[in-house]
Amino acid sequence: MGRIPHRPGGPWTGILLAASVLGSCLQPAPAQTLVTIVLTPPSPAVGGGVSLAPQKPPQDLLSCSWYRSATTDPSSRILTYFPGPPPVQTPGPAHTGRETAGPGCALHIAGLRLNDTGKYTVDIQSPTSPGLRTVHLLVSGGGSKRPPPEYENLPLQPGRAQG
């Protein structure tokens, strides 16, 4: 076998440069773990609270952001949680003051309202298993349709419509 002649600027220089660039771009992607979100309680009601907890969050969790939508649109971000130590949460534009985050990236919502029903998305940032997951929260009416106490037992007014 003969030697391949090498000249600076020859065709082999271009091929080696192209192979080097392509090789540096083709790094293996980190494995993504499918995260399941569990609602506790499973059927939350108006006035109560609920936790949306990712199951088996990554051990190397850097942060997670919760969104009040099926997308990660910045205007729908409820909060971002950094596990610390110490743990820190940063409220977003969709934060109502009733949401907090906890260990494992769980989102806790207190004082549930019917308009809390909808899609919630968590964006988990981790070097080994980043991922997005969306869950649907259904808040039930919870309770009877009784009128407020100030409207109970009022005498009927003649000539007035009743509603």
Side-chain angles (χ1 to χ4, degrees), residues 21 27 31 34 39 45 51-52 59 61 95-96 101 110 113-114 122 133-134 139 149:
V21 169
Q27 299 298 321
L34 181 61
L39 276 65
S51 290
L52 289 71
Q59 296 295 320
L61 176 70
H95 191 264
T96 67
R113 302 173 183 161
L114 285 175
V122 62
R133 192 70 178 160
T134 299
V139 179

Side-chain angles (χ1 to χ4, degrees), residues 41-109:
S43 301
V46 168
V50 67
S51 290
L52 289 71
Q55 296 302 294
K56 298 182 182 174
Q59 296 295 320
D60 57 352
L61 176 70
L62 298 175
S63 70
C64 62
S65 297
W66 280 96
Y67 298 84
R68 195 180 311 275
S69 73
T71 68
T72 57
D73 176 43
S75 66
S76 67
R77 186 174 62 84
I78 301 168
L79 57 80
T80 299
Y81 173 75
F82 302 91
V88 174
Q89 75 178 37
T90 306
H95 191 264
T96 67
R98 299 178 294 119
E99 303 91 358
T100 56
C105 199
L107 176 67
H108 308 288
I109 306 172

Side-chain angles (χ1 to χ4, degrees), residues 20 47-48 95 119 126 144 147:
S20 174
H95 191 264
K119 303 266 187 208
S126 157
S144 66

